[in-house]
């Protein structure tokens, strides 16, 4: 057993030094001072001084030494990429800023001057900013490793210091030029080239914005951030970048600098908010003096052709939105307008003599998605006037417009607003060509293309297409032919105000004018943005009152057991209880409450007062009734409709009010019903072009859908009766003896009993209409499964008896709803067509952000359902039904790709087909004749949806699948019935259908 424990080997270690632990203790020596005094000799000494934890005076000496190098008074320049400068910057960022930032900031009288200004100037360089961002990224990574100790971590404090320092470094409008001058001062060209690329990449990528936003959110959650950081907002960052580019371009930059500015502008537009960047450049360069205009033109010269085209499109959109807000249908378009002349002058500066930019503007005027769809005619007048002296370009515009105007596919499938815009361009260019070269227009009217265009227009099934064809024919013939020989269709439509307005476009002769009107309007807009409404004092609902004064007398209540002598006196009733009376402290009750607004301007002031809870609540509860009441009395609503709608759409639930979303929606619906022609188009434009969230855009769609149904008579709001003015009516006690109560008495309730709209109100309407569409199909299917018709006598007799005994329940909905054509035309022109036309323009736009928002599943579903409800509200009697059917059917077939993997969008597309077939039920032959290709294509797609959708089982999620399959079955039955009945008309379209 002992052999098992025999050691293999033995080693003995001899210590060469005595064991310190076993020796006697020696008292420690006093630590010598490790700080190094700096005397401004060399960068090595400066680095050693920074590493030795310098005191405040020694730190300032080092910073001032580094600043002398920036000013050219010393050989060492911290901005140059050298090992010494990199080490000094690293020490400044990681050691000096965390320890000395608060001291430097408090010792400086102003934000960017004094002692802190010296530190900022040392780090305002490409290496300095990169070091700050790298340190900030490391701090954020450190906070993620220990989330529980975030509040007390030093990384949070350091992150807030770095954010504050970075915001001060990039606060001026000449920071880009200053940083580039430091790079440009390098003597070695091989160092300039990579630093130039890094410089462009740093400021045109999302590095600064993303890191700042993440750090701001982390610091705010930890409670260490008092104020927001502007760099975390992409819009603010783009504005800062635009201001720097403006100052750089205006400072007499040479060719290399302008090329760099053009590259930064092109790449910064990909960050998003490119409209803001164009707006800053437009206001800072074009609307300044001649030097700024020359700089803008040269900036475009150094940009790629694609970026030039994008810039022209954004300038056109900017002019249309902010400077040419004209309602062309109500204004005299033949009169001279200095604003349009100024816009034309701005476009002339942008285009210049460059052929590429000229062709881009011509393409915008004649392309399928251009010409400012849904915008006022002013922007088209300004764009055409750019070529007022260019006969060749004007002739090209006229020929392309006329060729497109007569194309049959364009007539059938182009949105209505797009055809209106291109017709205006055609008439405007024809007038200029007639004045520049009359023989050119005369020969054009004798060509086959003109005759074919007018013939195709007159033979089109859409009323609007025929109307535009007759307008163009009469207008152009009036220019060339004499009064006796000119074309005259002898139609009543040609004597309307709209037809006269279109025919007057050929007489317009705009010119390129000065930019003074645009400058004045820009100044007024800038002043309006800076002028904020006065912020009233906060509510005094919780202010402590003064305690009651104590007197020397004490009042004591003595109860008397004896009965009073005046037994016949009736005591006063107790006052109504107030919710605030339940407060324990009566001094906290606010009796000075605001009164309900009685004017629209008061309502607007209440909405703007975001700090007053009572005013916000009163404005929300009063808005639906007040807007409806003032709709037909005076011009209060019409004058302030857009301002009021803007406030309602962007209103936030700051105080968590009850029924906030419903009250806000009811206010928007009231505006739509009060001014349908104006506000329907405004809400459609806001949905596509406004800067709103998904929920706010959804509320716009719901307001349009419900407002359109109320205008058509399908819905009656409870606010209608409450909004009526007082009239000569009998008192209620007397009126009940003369008038029989009717079911409409439910509308005579007060506003306190109004029920809010359910959050899924459009879904409920969709389900109701779907059931109405599928009910006859279900009845036919039930009859088909009960056996031969001879065995159905008893059931038929019982149904007939039930019908005679209870006629009210068996009343069926009429096939054709009698809706006045004026109402249907209003829904089509102000609600339906703006939504469809702008959608087609948005999906063809260059902005990926807009397309991404529109194709959000929830928003796209709501959009399709809104269009279906509006089509159903217009009804089968509308004159524009053929055009509405064409646009909506093309749109539904165009979004089929979004239905893959999303049942909600599939259900919305099927419901759109349900609405199409329901409205066109009385004219299925005409539907198959005009839309044979769409009928066959839709039947094939619906058949695939029906076959590939699982339904009828009880698995989880089967409810939505069952609804989709049921809708697909109903649509498929209707389409197959139409195909079987009118297969001769569809024979050519069915070739290739399996």
């Amino acid at each position: 057993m002992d052999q098992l424990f025999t050691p293999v080997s033995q080693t003995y270690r001899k210590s060469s030094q005595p064991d310190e632990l076993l020796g006697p203790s020696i008292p420690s020596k006093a630590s010598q001072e490790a700080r190094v005094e700096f005397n401004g000799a060399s960068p090595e000494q400066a680095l050693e001084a920074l590493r030795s934890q310098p005191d405040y005076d020694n730190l300032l000496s080092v910073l001032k030494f580094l600043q002398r190098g920036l000013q050219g008074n010393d050989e060492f320049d911290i901005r140059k990429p050298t090992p010494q400068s990199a080490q000094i910057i690293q020490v400044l960022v990681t050691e000096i800023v965390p320890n000395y930032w608060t001291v430097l900031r408090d010792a400086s009288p102003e934000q960017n001057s004094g002692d802190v200004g010296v530190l900022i100037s040392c780090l305002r360089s490409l290496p300095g900013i990169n070091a700050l961002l790298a340190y900030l990224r490391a701090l954020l990574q450190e906070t993620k490793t220990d989330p529980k100790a975030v509040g007390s971590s030093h990384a949070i404090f350091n992150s807030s210091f770095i954010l504050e320092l970075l915001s001060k470094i990039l606060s001026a409008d000449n920071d880009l030029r200053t940083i580039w001058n430091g790079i440009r001062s390098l003597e070695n060209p091989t160092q300039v080239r990579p630093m130039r690329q890094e410089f462009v990449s740093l400021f045109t990528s999302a590095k600064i914005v993303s890191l700042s936003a993440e750090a701001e959110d982390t610091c705010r959650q930890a409670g260490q951030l008092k104020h927001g950081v502007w760099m975390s907002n992409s819009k603010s960052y783009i504005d800062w970048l635009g201001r720097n580019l403006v100052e750089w371009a205006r400072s007499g930059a040479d060719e290399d600098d302008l090329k760099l500015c053009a590259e930064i502008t092109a790449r910064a537009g990909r960050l998003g908010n490119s409209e803001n960047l164009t707006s800053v450049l437009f206001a800072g360069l074009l609307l300044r003096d001649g030097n700024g205009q020359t700089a803008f033109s040269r900036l475009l010269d150094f940009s790629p052709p694609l970026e030039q085209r994008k810039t022209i499109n954004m300038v056109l959109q900017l002019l249309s939105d902010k400077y040419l807000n004209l309602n062309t249908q109500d204004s005299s378009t033949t009169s001279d307008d200095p604003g349009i002349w100024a816009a034309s002058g701005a476009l002339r500066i942008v285009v210049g003599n460059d052929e590429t930019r000229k062709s881009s503007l011509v393409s915008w005027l004649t392309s399928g998605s251009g010409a400012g769809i849904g915008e006022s005619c002013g922007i088209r007048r300004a764009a055409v006037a750019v070529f007022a002296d260019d006969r060749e370009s004007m002739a090209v515009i006229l020929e392309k417009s006329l060729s497109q105007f007569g194309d049959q596919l364009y007539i059938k499938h182009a949105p209505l607003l797009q055809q209106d815009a291109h017709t205006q361009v055609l008439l405007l260019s024809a007038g200029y060509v007639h004045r520049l070269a009359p023989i050119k227009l005369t020969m054009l009217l004798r060509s086959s293309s003109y005759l074919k265009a007018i013939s195709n227009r007159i033979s089109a099934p859409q009323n609007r297409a025929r109307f535009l064809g007759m307008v163009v024919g009469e207008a152009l013939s009036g220019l060339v032919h004499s009064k006796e020989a000119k074309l005259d269709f002898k139609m009543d439509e040609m004597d309307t105000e709209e037809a006269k307005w279109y025919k007057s476009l050929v007489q317009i002769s705009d010119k390129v004018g000065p930019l003074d009107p645009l400058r004045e309007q820009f100044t007024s807009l800038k002043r309006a943005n800076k002028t904020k409404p006065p912020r009233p004092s906060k509510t005094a609902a919780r202010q402590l009152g003064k305690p009651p004064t104590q007197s020397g007398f004490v009042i004591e209540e003595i109860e008397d057991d004896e009965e009073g002598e005046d037994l016949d006196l009736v005591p006063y009733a107790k006052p109504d209880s107030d919710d605030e009376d339940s407060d324990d402290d009566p001094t906290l009750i606010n009796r000075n409450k605001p009164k309900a607004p009685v004017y629209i301007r008061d309502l607007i002031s209440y909405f703007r007062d975001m700090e007053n809870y009572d005013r916000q609540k009163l404005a929300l509860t009063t808005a639906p009734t007040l807007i409806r009441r003032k709709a037909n009395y005076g011009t209060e609503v019409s004058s302030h409709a857009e301002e009021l709608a803007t406030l309602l759409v962007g209103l936030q639930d700051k105080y968590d009010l009850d029924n906030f979303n419903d009250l806000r929606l009811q206010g928007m619906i009231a505006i739509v019903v009060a001014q349908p022609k104006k506000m329907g188009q405004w809400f459609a434009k806001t949905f596509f072009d406004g800067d709103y969230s998904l929920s706010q855009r959804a509320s716009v769609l719901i307001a349009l859908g419900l407002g359109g149904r109320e205008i058509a008579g399908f819905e009656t709001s409870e606010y209608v009766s409450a909004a009526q003015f007082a009239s000569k009516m009998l008192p209620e006690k007397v009126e009940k003896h003369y008038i029989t109560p009717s079911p409409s008495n439910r509308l005579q309730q007060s506003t306190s009993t109004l029920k809010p709209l359910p959050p899924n109100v459009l879904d409920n309407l969709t389900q109701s209409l779907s059931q109405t569409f599928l009910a006859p199909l279900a009845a036919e299917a039930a009859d088909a499964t009960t056996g031969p018709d001879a065995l159905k006598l008893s059931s038929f007799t019982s149904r007939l008896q039930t019908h005679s005994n209870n006629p009210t329940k068996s009343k069926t909905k009429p096939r054709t709803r009698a809706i006045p054509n004026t109402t249907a035309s209003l829904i089509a022109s102000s609600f339906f067509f703006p939504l469809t036309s702008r959608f087609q323009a948005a999906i063809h736009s260059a902005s990926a952000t807009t397309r991404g928002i529109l194709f959000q599943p929830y928003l796209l579903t709501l959009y399709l359902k809104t269009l279906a409800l509006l089509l159903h509200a217009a009804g089968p009697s509308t004159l524009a039904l053929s055009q509405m059917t064409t646009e909506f059917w093309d749109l539904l077939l165009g979004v089929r790709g979004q239905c893959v993997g999303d049942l909600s969008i599939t259900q919305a597309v099927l419901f759109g087909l349900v609405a199409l077939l329901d409205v066109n039920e009385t004219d299925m032959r005409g539907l198959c004749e005009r839309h044979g290709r769409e009928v066959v294509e839709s039947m094939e797609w619906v058949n695939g949806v029906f076959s590939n959708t699982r339904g009828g089982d009880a698995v989880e999620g089967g409810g939505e699948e069952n609804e989709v399959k049921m809708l697909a079955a109903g649509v498929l039955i209707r389409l197959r019935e139409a195909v079987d009945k009118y297969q001769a008309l569809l024979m050519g379209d069915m070739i290739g259908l399996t």
Side-chain angles (χ1 to χ4, degrees):
M1 193 66 182
D2 296 338
Q3 297 177 355
L4 297 176
F5 295 96
T6 303
V8 178
S9 63
Q10 296 179 358
T11 303
Y12 299 94
R13 177 177 177 272
K14 296 182 179 180
S15 178
S16 59
Q17 297 179 357
D19 196 349
E20 297 179 357
L21 296 178
L22 300 179
S25 61
I26 301 175
S28 60
K29 299 180 180 180
S31 60
Q32 298 180 355
E33 185 66 30
R35 293 177 180 174
V36 178
E37 296 295 335
F38 180 72
N39 53 11
S42 62
E44 292 81 3
Q45 189 176 1
L47 178 61
E48 189 66 24
L50 291 175
R51 287 177 174 175
S52 61
Q53 299 181 0
D55 55 8
Y56 190 78
D57 296 334
N58 205 17
L59 173 63
L60 286 181
S61 300
V62 176
L63 294 178
K64 290 180 180 179
F65 165 74
L66 298 176
Q67 191 180 35
R68 288 198 301 269
L70 300 176
Q71 298 172 355
N73 299 327
D74 193 90
E75 296 180 357
F76 178 73
D77 191 349
I78 194 175
R79 298 174 299 181
K80 295 182 179 180
T82 60
Q84 294 176 347
S85 62
Q87 294 178 8
I88 292 176
I89 289 175
Q90 181 69 16
V91 174
L92 287 176
V93 171
T94 58
E95 297 182 15
I96 300 303
V97 172
N99 297 323
Y100 294 91
W101 174 251
T102 55
V103 181
L104 289 170
R105 182 188 57 190
D106 296 340
S108 302
E110 299 181 2
Q111 294 184 354
N112 295 343
S113 62
D115 299 340
V116 72
V118 181
L119 176 63
I120 291 174
S121 63
C122 294
L123 293 177
R124 186 180 281 124
S125 61
L126 187 62
I129 297 175
N130 281 330
L132 288 171
L133 294 177
Y135 186 53
L136 185 61
R137 184 185 292 108
L139 292 174
L140 292 175
Q141 190 65 29
E142 184 178 350
T143 58
K144 294 177 183 179
T145 56
D146 190 10
K148 296 182 179 179
V150 168
S152 59
S153 174
H154 73 282
I156 295 297
F157 295 96
N158 294 344
S159 298
S160 63
F161 297 157
I162 296 297
L163 280 178
E164 189 175 357
L165 174 58
L166 194 60
S167 63
K168 292 181 180 298
I169 290 176
L170 303 177
S171 60
D173 293 344
N174 60 346
D175 290 332
L176 278 183
R177 186 181 57 183
T178 302
I179 296 172
W180 171 246
N181 288 336
I183 300 174
R184 196 175 183 180
S185 62
L186 297 176
E187 300 176 356
N188 191 357
T190 58
Q191 292 181 340
V192 176
R193 189 178 300 109
M195 293 197 69
R196 182 184 186 277
Q197 296 177 357
E198 188 178 358
F199 173 76
V200 175
S201 176
L202 174 63
F203 290 104
T204 58
S205 63
K207 183 186 298 183
I208 297 177
V209 178
S210 59
L211 284 176
S212 300
E214 185 179 359
E216 181 187 17
D217 183 64
T218 304
C219 294
R220 182 178 285 110
Q221 291 180 2
Q224 299 296 332
L225 192 65
K226 298 181 180 179
H227 306 287
V229 181
W230 66 268
M231 297 173 302
S232 61
N233 188 348
S234 60
K235 287 186 178 180
S236 301
Y237 180 78
I238 288 295
D239 291 341
W240 171 83
L241 203 60
R243 293 193 304 269
N244 275 265
L245 291 172
V246 168
E247 294 298 326
W248 196 352
R250 285 178 52 84
S251 62
D254 55 8
E255 183 176 345
D256 293 336
D257 288 355
L258 286 177
K259 287 182 179 179
L260 182 59
C261 291
E263 184 178 356
I264 294 175
T265 303
R267 297 185 61 176
R270 303 166 192 168
L271 292 176
N273 302 300
S274 56
E275 297 84 1
N276 289 30
L277 181 60
T278 305
S279 178
V280 174
L281 295 177
F282 181 84
L285 294 178
L286 272 181
L287 297 186
R288 293 283 185 91
D289 50 10
N291 294 332
Q293 298 171 6
T294 304
F296 190 88
S297 300
R298 295 183 63 192
L299 201 62
L300 281 180
D301 292 336
F302 294 118
S303 300
L306 181 60
E307 297 300 330
Q308 294 182 15
R309 187 169 187 173
K310 289 181 179 179
T311 303
I312 291 175
N313 292 337
M314 285 186 288
V315 168
L316 288 165
Q317 185 68 33
L318 177 66
L319 289 172
S320 177
D321 290 341
K322 294 187 177 181
Y323 300 99
L324 296 177
N325 294 326
L326 301 177
N327 190 355
T328 58
Q329 299 294 340
D330 297 334
S331 61
S332 178
T333 56
T334 57
S335 60
D336 297 337
D337 194 331
I340 294 178
W341 296 354
S344 182
L347 290 174
R348 172 66 68 85
I349 296 173
V350 173
V351 173
N353 296 322
D354 188 79
E355 294 298 329
T356 302
R357 296 200 286 270
K358 283 185 178 180
S359 62
S360 298
L361 186 56
V362 171
S363 176
W364 182 84
L365 286 168
T366 57
S367 64
S369 59
I373 298 176
E375 306 295 341
S376 65
C377 186
I379 187 59
R380 289 179 281 277
R381 287 177 54 181
V384 173
V386 174
F387 306 100
D389 300 331
D390 191 347
R391 183 174 60 182
E392 298 299 329
S393 298
M394 194 65 70
V396 170
I397 295 173
L398 178 59
E399 291 174 357
K400 288 187 176 181
S401 300
L402 184 61
S403 176
Q404 182 178 246
F405 183 76
D407 187 18
Q408 291 184 350
L409 291 177
Y410 173 82
I411 296 173
K412 184 177 181 181
H413 297 286
L416 183 61
L417 294 184
Q418 184 176 341
Q419 297 188 33
D420 291 343
H422 288 153
T423 303
Q424 295 170 16
V425 173
L426 172 61
L427 294 174
L428 288 170
S429 59
Y432 284 99
V433 171
H434 176 67
R435 287 183 290 272
L436 293 174
I439 190 64
K440 179 71 175 178
L441 184 62
T442 303
M443 294 176 60
L444 185 63
L445 262 64
R446 295 177 181 176
S447 63
S448 60
S449 61
Y450 170 76
L451 298 177
K452 185 178 179 181
I454 301 300
S455 300
N456 292 340
R457 281 282 171 175
I458 295 176
S459 61
Q462 296 90 354
N463 293 330
R464 186 66 179 181
R466 295 195 297 268
F467 170 79
L468 294 177
M470 290 187 291
V471 164
V472 171
E474 289 191 5
L476 298 187
S477 179
L479 291 176
V480 175
H481 303 126
S482 61
K483 185 176 181 181
E484 293 78 11
K486 70 177 183 179
L487 183 63
D488 189 0
F489 288 97
K490 305 293 184 181
M491 298 289 291
D492 295 337
E493 291 87 347
M494 295 296 99
D495 296 331
T496 60
E497 293 296 329
E498 185 181 11
K500 294 179 181 178
W501 176 78
Y502 269 101
K503 288 186 285 188
S504 67
L505 293 178
V506 296
Q507 306 298 333
I508 293 178
S509 179
D510 295 317
K511 61 182 180 180
V512 176
L515 306 184
D516 295 334
L518 296 183
R519 295 189 183 100
E520 295 175 0
Q521 194 165 0
F522 172 75
T523 305
S524 61
L525 289 174
K526 190 175 181 180
R527 189 182 303 111
N529 292 334
K530 288 185 177 181
T531 305
K532 297 182 179 180
R535 178 174 294 182
S537 59
K538 296 184 179 180
T539 55
R542 296 301 176 186
Q543 292 181 355
L544 295 176
K546 295 181 179 180
T549 57
Q550 298 290 339
S551 61
F553 300 96
V554 178
I555 300 176
E556 181 180 358
E557 182 181 358
I558 301 177
E559 297 182 358
D560 192 359
D561 295 338
E562 297 180 2
E563 297 181 357
E565 298 179 358
D566 300 331
L567 299 177
D568 56 340
L569 296 178
V570 180
Y572 288 105
K574 294 182 179 180
D576 296 336
S577 60
D578 194 348
D579 294 338
E580 294 188 357
D581 288 339
S582 60
D583 203 315
D584 296 336
D585 191 354
T587 60
L588 300 179
I589 300 175
N590 179 26
R591 297 297 182 186
N592 188 19
K593 293 184 178 180
K595 297 180 180 180
V598 294
Y599 298 103
I600 296 298
R601 60 178 181 270
D602 296 335
L603 181 65
I604 293 175
S605 65
Y606 276 34
F607 275 124
R608 285 178 174 173
D609 190 2
M610 296 296 298
E611 302 298 330
N612 196 317
Y613 166 80
D614 294 329
R615 285 196 168 195
Q616 287 286 299
K617 186 176 181 180
L618 269 178
L620 275 174
T621 54
T622 312
T625 306
L626 182 61
I627 294 172
R628 292 176 182 271
R629 182 182 303 164
K630 297 281 187 175
N632 299 321
Y633 294 89
T635 60
E636 281 189 87
V637 176
S638 60
S639 301
H640 301 86
E642 294 184 4
E643 184 179 5
L644 193 57
T646 304
L647 291 172
L648 283 171
V649 174
L651 195 62
Q652 301 291 334
D653 190 8
K654 183 178 179 179
Y655 299 101
D656 196 15
L657 299 174
D658 296 335
N659 299 329
F660 171 82
N661 292 324
D662 169 62
L663 293 173
R664 185 172 69 95
L665 181 60
Q666 288 289 359
M668 295 165 62
I669 295 174
I671 296 177
V672 173
V673 175
Q675 297 288 326
K677 184 176 181 180
K678 176 182 179 181
M679 298 310 298
Q681 300 179 15
W682 185 91
F683 274 110
K685 178 179 175 61
T686 301
F687 173 75
F688 290 98
D689 299 340
D691 187 13
Y692 296 106
S693 63
L694 293 179
S695 61
Q696 290 170 335
R697 294 176 192 266
S699 65
V700 170
L701 289 177
I702 296 174
L704 286 174
L706 297 182
R709 288 181 60 84
E710 183 174 346
I711 293 171
F714 286 92
E715 302 289 340
T716 303
S717 175
E718 292 88 349
Y719 291 91
V720 173
S721 60
Q724 293 179 355
F725 274 103
S727 59
K728 296 181 180 180
M729 298 177 62
L730 294 174
E732 185 179 357
K733 294 181 179 180
V734 181
E735 184 183 13
K736 66 181 181 180
H737 296 291
Y738 296 92
I739 301 178
T740 305
S742 62
S744 62
N745 287 340
R746 63 181 179 86
L747 300 179
Q748 307 297 329
Q749 301 174 357
S750 62
T751 56
S752 60
T753 60
L754 297 178
K755 297 181 180 180
L757 290 174
N760 56 344
V761 57
L762 286 188
D763 294 337
N764 295 340
L765 291 175
T766 302
Q767 185 176 5
S768 176
L769 293 180
S770 301
Q771 292 176 356
T772 304
F773 175 78
L774 296 174
L777 300 179
E780 293 177 4
D783 290 341
T785 57
T786 54
D789 294 340
L791 302 178
K792 301 178 185 178
L793 180 60
S794 59
S795 60
F796 175 77
T797 306
S798 61
R799 288 199 301 266
L800 182 62
Q801 184 178 2
T802 305
H803 175 77
S804 60
N805 293 337
N806 194 2
T808 58
K809 292 185 179 181
S810 62
K811 184 180 296 184
T812 59
K813 179 182 176 181
R815 286 180 174 270
T816 304
R817 181 179 177 86
I819 300 176
N821 286 338
T822 55
T823 303
S825 176
L826 181 65
I827 294 176
S829 60
S830 299
F831 291 78
F832 189 86
F833 288 136
L835 285 175
T836 55
S837 301
R838 289 185 178 276
F839 183 85
Q840 295 290 345
I843 61 177
H844 292 96
S845 65
S847 176
T849 305
T850 303
R851 296 194 301 271
I853 293 175
L854 293 181
F855 286 113
Q856 287 287 335
Y858 170 72
L859 203 61
L860 182 59
T861 300
L862 195 61
Y863 171 77
L864 296 176
K865 290 181 179 179
T866 301
L867 287 178
L869 291 176
L870 290 174
L871 178 64
H872 183 268
S877 61
T878 176
L879 296 177
L881 179 60
S882 179
Q883 183 68 25
M884 295 173 70
T885 302
T886 301
E887 293 192 17
F888 192 32
W889 214 330
D890 290 343
L891 193 149
L892 290 175
L893 294 178
V895 299
R896 287 176 297 172
Q898 305 295 325
C899 299
V900 180
D902 198 313
L903 289 177
S904 60
I905 301 179
T906 305
Q907 184 180 7
V909 174
L910 291 173
F911 177 69
L913 294 174
V914 166
L916 278 176
L917 298 176
D918 187 39
V919 174
N920 291 277
E921 184 180 5
T922 58
D923 189 22
M924 291 299 294
R925 178 184 175 85
L927 191 70
C928 294
E929 184 177 1
R930 294 186 299 268
H931 306 282
R933 177 67 63 181
E934 289 81 358
V935 169
V936 175
E937 193 172 350
S938 299
M939 186 177 65
E940 185 178 1
W941 178 76
V942 174
N943 187 22
V945 172
F946 181 79
S947 303
N948 298 327
T949 302
R950 182 180 60 182
D953 49 4
V955 299
E956 184 179 358
E960 189 175 6
E961 292 181 346
N962 289 334
E963 293 179 2
V964 170
K965 194 159 189 175
M966 181 177 61
L967 282 176
V971 173
L972 192 59
I973 291 174
R974 288 301 187 202
L975 290 176
R976 285 181 175 175
E977 288 178 354
V979 170
D980 293 341
K981 190 173 183 180
Y982 305 106
Q983 57 183 350
L985 295 174
L986 299 170
M987 188 58 65
D989 297 312
M990 293 176 63
I991 296 176
L993 178 65
T994 57

